[in-house]
Amino acid sequence: MSLKSARDFFRPLAVGAPAPLREIPARPSRAIHFFDPSNEKMAAKVPGMIGTVDVLLGNLEDAIKADNKVAAREGLVRIAQSTANLGGQSGPTQLWTRINALDSPWVLDDLTTLVPAIGDKLDVIMVPKVQGAEDIHYIDRLLAQLEAKAGLTRPILVHAILETARGVANVEEICGASPRMQGLSLGPADLAADRKMKTTRVGGGHPGYLVRQDPPRGTDSAETDPVFDPGRAIFQQDLWHYTIAKMVDACAMHGIYPYYGPFGDIADVVACEDQFRNAFLLGCVGTWSLHPKQIAIANRVFSPSVEDIAHARRVVAAMGDGTGAVMIDGKMEDDASLKQCLVLVELAEQLAAIDPELKKQYDAIETVEA
Ligand SMILES: CC(C)(COP(=O)(O)OP(=O)(O)OC[C@H]1O[C@@H](n2cnc3c(N)ncnc32)[C@H](O)[C@@H]1OP(=O)(O)O)[C@@H](O)C(=O)NCCC(=O)NCCSC(=O)C[C@H](O)C(=O)O
Ligand SMILES: [Mg+2]
């Protein structure tokens, strides 16, 4: 791989293109809500969703029928141009799109149509099936040329979906490939297929991926029924733990943001919430929402609880200058746990700035002296 100097890394890739950002803004993005811009019923719901969801994403890739690709692209342009308070830097709801795959017959038209028409409103372009840094370099240069031609003053950011085995192997170089990189999402369906995993589900767990409690002492495990043994507890495991953890580390190392992806069992709101919460606890900042009912789940899960914020604030208050160790409710707190608490407190402040209901809840927390 050829080396780029640090100075070149932040130089625009086309004459007249906006300067790359030095920091990726931490804009709340608990739910990235997917809609099909060619579906009139879904498109009609977009204006009413502004302010209720952090990100609206006009999907052009998978789930859009080949015959509707052009209608989806044109629909997205129409929606972006005609909807107030959507996208750009100030609106309450960001506007993202997922373009078609880089080897598809549609992607070039996606980019050459969207950037001139709605580049000033598009916050992030999600790129599917990213394999390595070369895919990001291609998009990076093309976007710079299109931005320069369109006279844009703000760079459009890029988000990659981790959904091939090669992409997972190259995750660190993908995150560091361009100052445009905003974040990564897990794409469990394509990734499962690419890895030849034997699940047909779109994200979530699988009842066959488990560990089983040992048999009672003195029992020959060969005699127990391996399929149904009510005497031995089973613990379902998370098929996606390894990939999410790897993605979180790569994103944190590069100062960009990790997201869970789709949870396809729309009816199973409980398991959806569990999967989202696992991702939140591991470090993800948000997730995809495929159906309106997943937005509330994502907003709830990816907002720290009032209890956690109450505790975090107590630790911050008790730790004074941030050094040393104190006891709170029988537990040791020190410089490191203070940093953990600050992660939550800072997230709560960002969310309170855009979510009046949450602000009310966080403001109502009584400050308890430790
Ligand atoms: C999953 C769906 C096909 C379900 O649609 P539908 O059967 O219409 O659901 P409902 O009848 O419950 O819908 C109720 C009303 O809500 C509207 N609706 C539904 N979904 C949305 C939406 N996403 N945004 C806005 N509005 C929505 C319906 O139109 C109904 O309206 P009304 O009749 O007026 O009451 C559908 O939800 C859907 O298509 N969702 C998006 C799917 C999608 O984007 N998939 C791609 C992302 S996942 C992926 O690509 C895999 C990934 O890349 C990987 O590899 O892992
Ligand atoms: Mg996919």
Side-chain angles (χ1 to χ4, degrees), residues 144-228:
Q145 291 168 338
L146 292 168
E147 287 167 345
K149 200 168 167 202
L152 298 185
T153 53
R154 178 184 64 108
I156 299 170
L157 301 180
V158 167
H159 180 109
I161 313 180
L162 211 50
E163 51 186 354
T164 67
R166 183 143 82 84
V168 175
N170 292 332
V171 63
E172 286 167 22
E173 67 164 48
I174 291 170
C175 291
S178 159
R180 283 184 199 277
M181 283 301 299
Q182 180 274 345
L184 290 184
S185 286
L186 173 74
D190 271 302
L191 183 56
D194 195 57
R195 281 178 173 161
K196 303 200 178 350
M197 290 167 69
K198 308 302 183 294
T199 165
T200 55
R201 298 174 173 207
V202 176
H206 192 290
Y209 194 71
L210 52 83
V211 291
R212 189 179 299 271
Q213 188 183 28
D214 279 359
R217 263 176 211 278
T219 313
D220 182 350
S221 59
E223 288 167 9
T224 62
D225 179 344
V227 177
F228 180 70

Side-chain angles (χ1 to χ4, degrees), residues 309-320:
I309 295 304
H311 172 73
R313 286 188 189 160
R314 283 181 74 198
V315 174
V316 172
M319 279 297 293

Side-chain angles (χ1 to χ4, degrees), residues 61-62 98 129 163 190:
E61 198 226 8
D62 291 356
R98 179 170 77 170
K129 303 176 178 71
E163 51 186 354
D190 271 302

Side-chain angles (χ1 to χ4, degrees), residues 97-282:
T97 186
R98 179 170 77 170
I99 55 172
N100 284 288
L102 298 182
D103 60 356
S104 75
W106 304 291
V107 65
L108 193 58
D109 288 342
D110 290 345
L111 290 166
T112 56
T113 302
L114 297 180
V115 177
I118 57 168
D120 56 333
K121 299 199 100 189
L122 265 184
D123 295 293
V124 176
I125 291 182
M126 185 182 272
V127 185
K129 303 176 178 71
V130 170
Q131 299 273 25
E134 72 279 9
D135 288 341
I136 303 301
H137 294 159
Y138 168 78
I139 286 282
D140 201 8
R141 179 78 73 170
L142 185 53
L143 281 178
Q145 291 168 338
L146 292 168
E147 287 167 345
K149 200 168 167 202
L152 298 185
T153 53
R154 178 184 64 108
I156 299 170
L157 301 180
V158 167
H159 180 109
I161 313 180
L162 211 50
E163 51 186 354
T164 67
R166 183 143 82 84
V168 175
N170 292 332
V171 63
E172 286 167 22
E173 67 164 48
I174 291 170
C175 291
S178 159
R180 283 184 199 277
M181 283 301 299
Q182 180 274 345
L184 290 184
S185 286
L186 173 74
D190 271 302
L191 183 56
D194 195 57
R195 281 178 173 161
K196 303 200 178 350
M197 290 167 69
K198 308 302 183 294
T199 165
T200 55
R201 298 174 173 207
V202 176
H206 192 290
Y209 194 71
L210 52 83
V211 291
R212 189 179 299 271
Q213 188 183 28
D214 279 359
R217 263 176 211 278
T219 313
D220 182 350
S221 59
E223 288 167 9
T224 62
D225 179 344
V227 177
F228 180 70
D229 184 348
R232 295 166 63 189
I234 57 169
F235 306 93
Q236 203 171 313
Q237 306 290 292
D238 185 356
L239 279 172
W240 306 108
H241 177 84
Y242 156 77
T243 315
I244 295 176
K246 188 167 172 160
M247 176 177 80
V248 167
D249 279 345
C251 286
M253 168 179 159
H254 287 279
I256 69 174
Y257 301 102
Y259 298 77
Y260 180 71
F263 189 88
D265 190 345
I266 309 287
D268 193 347
V269 290
V270 175
C272 175
E273 178 151 351
D274 292 337
Q275 182 75 67
F276 287 179
R277 183 159 289 107
N278 288 347
F280 173 68
L281 288 169
L282 271 180

Side-chain angles (χ1 to χ4, degrees), residues 33-35 39 41-42 45 49 59 61-63 98 161 163 186-191 202 262 266 288-292:
H33 181 73
F34 277 58
F35 68 94
N39 178 320
K41 271 201 328 194
M42 278 195 208
K45 294 207 159 38
M49 295 174 106
N59 180 29
E61 198 226 8
D62 291 356
R98 179 170 77 170
I161 313 180
E163 51 186 354
L186 173 74
D190 271 302
L191 183 56
V202 176
I266 309 287
W288 300 5
S289 147
L290 304 183
H291 188 279

